[in-house]
Structure formats: structure tokens, C-alpha cells
């Protein structure tokens, strides 16, 4: 075997979620096409299960070693799955989906709270509130899987707001 084949096999062993998700999506697409919505309740339940439960659980199993980052991404994947099913299932066939929309908003709320916690930690680190604030911000960013470019953007925004705050305090002090 060549080195390229070994690298591909190693990649697929470490990231088997992607081929599994592609197979699940292909099977769901085929089922929707062949069924033509003749049994809408069953089809909707199957799509919701696959998109909002099966795919996030497969993601968690595949990337469990990444810790909290995989949990956060699995929650985001479940929210994305509910959203996607809402666009795949025709409005007149949505019975379960109408009752489960609140789950998506709960998941999105958790994700927003994690991002707010990260933003507050970055603001503390930028303002020099404590010696361990920078370490805390870095730890939170790693746990939530925040990309480096987003970290830099948040740090830039925090620095800009700190400068604005200092300017306002200085302007009203005199």
C-alpha cells in the first residue's frame, strides 16, 4: 500500500463520522424520494430521529476524545438537524416538528450562553481583571471549539470596547 492510501485510511478511521453521516443523508434522501410523503408522520419521525438524535450521537461517539468540544458541537448539530428537517418536511406534514421546536431553542440558548461566557472571559482577560483571566478565556475557547479567527475577532472587539469605555469614563470625569 502506498503512503497516500495509508493516510486516507488513517483519516477515515479517525473521522468515520463523515462517511456515516453521508450514508445516513443519502438513505434519508432516497426514502423521502421513494415515499413521496404517503406516510408523513412516520417519515417525519424518521427524519427527526436521524437528523436530531442519530447524527449528533454518532458525532459524539466519533469525537468523544475531544471532551466538551464534542458535546457543544453535537448540541449544535442537533439544532441544525431540527432546522433542516423543518425545511425538508412540507408545512402541511409537520406534526411532531411543531411540538419539538422548543428543543431547538433550548439548544441554541445553551450555545449562546457558552459564547457569552467566552466573551466575558475574553473581556476580563483584555481588561486585566485577573491574572488567570487569560488562561480561563483560552480554556473556554478550547472547550467550546471556537476557531482561532473568532478568538482574534473577539479579542479585537473586546479591546475596542475597552478603549471606548476608557474614553467615555475620561470624558465624563472632567
Amino acid at each position: 500500500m502506498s503512503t497516500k492510501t495509508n493516510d486516507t485510511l488513517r483519516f477515515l478511521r479517525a473521522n468515520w463520522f463523515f462517511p456515516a453521516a453521508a450514508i445516513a443523508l443519502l438513505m434519508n434522501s432516497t426514502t423521502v424520494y421513494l415515499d413521496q410523503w404517503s406516510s408523513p408522520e412516520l417519515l417525519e419521525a424518521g427524519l427527526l430521529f436521524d437528523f436530531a438524535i442519530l447524527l449528533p450521537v454518532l458525532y459524539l461517539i466519533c469525537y468523544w476524545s475531544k471532551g466538551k468540544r464534542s458535546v457543544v458541537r453535537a448540541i449544535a448539530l442537533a439544532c441544525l438537524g431540527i432546522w433542516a428537517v423543518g425545511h425538508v418536511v412540507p408545512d402541511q406534514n409537520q406534526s411532531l416538528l411543531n411540538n419539538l421546536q422548543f428543543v431547538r431553542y433550548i439548544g441554541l440558548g445553551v450555545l449562546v450562553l457558552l459564547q457569552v461566557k467566552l466573551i466575558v472571559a475574553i473581556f476580563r482577560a483584555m481588561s486585566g481583571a485577573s491574572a488567570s483571566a487569560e488562561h480561563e478565556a483560552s480554556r473556554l475557547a478550547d472547550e467550546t471549539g471556537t476557531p482561532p479567527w473568532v478568538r482574534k475577532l473577539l479579542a479585537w472587539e473586546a479591546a475596542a470596547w475597552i478603549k471606548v469605555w476608557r474614553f467615555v469614563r475620561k470624558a465624563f470625569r472632567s
Side-chain angles (χ1 to χ4, degrees), residues 3-132:
T3 306
K4 194 170 192 170
T5 307
N6 287 338
D7 291 343
T8 303
L9 288 175
R10 192 175 307 122
F11 175 80
L12 287 176
R13 270 191 227 116
N15 300 294
W16 56 263
F17 168 76
F18 294 107
I23 291 169
L25 293 174
L26 180 65
M27 290 175 61
N28 280 300
S29 300
T30 304
T31 304
V32 167
Y33 177 75
L34 293 176
D35 188 66
Q36 298 287 321
W37 298 102
S38 61
S39 54
E41 294 88 9
L42 184 61
L43 196 53
E44 179 188 22
L47 288 172
L48 270 171
F49 177 80
D50 287 352
F51 280 72
I53 297 172
L54 179 69
L55 290 178
V57 167
L58 287 176
Y59 186 89
L60 271 175
I61 292 169
C62 184
Y63 297 110
W64 186 252
S65 63
K66 295 186 187 265
K68 290 182 183 178
R69 176 187 299 191
S70 62
V71 174
V72 171
R73 289 184 177 175
I75 292 170
L77 191 59
C79 293
L80 179 65
I82 294 171
W83 175 83
V85 171
H87 289 286
V88 170
V89 177
D91 291 338
Q92 66 270 18
N93 295 336
Q94 292 183 4
S95 59
L96 286 173
L97 197 59
N98 291 334
N99 297 327
L100 293 177
Q101 284 294 339
F102 75 94
V103 174
R104 178 175 160 224
Y105 295 116
I106 290 171
L108 288 173
V110 168
L111 294 174
V112 167
L113 285 175
L114 287 172
Q115 288 301 315
V116 167
K117 188 175 178 181
L118 175 62
I119 289 168
V120 168
I122 288 174
F123 269 88
R124 285 185 180 151
M126 293 298 291
S127 65
S130 70
S132 65

Side-chain angles (χ1 to χ4, degrees), residues 149-170:
W149 67 272
V150 174
R151 294 180 198 186
K152 289 178 183 176
L153 185 63
L154 289 173
W156 177 82
E157 182 184 8
W161 281 111
I162 288 169
K163 287 178 184 176
V164 167
W165 177 247
R166 288 179 181 156
F167 174 77
V168 168
R169 280 189 10 199
K170 189 177 181 180

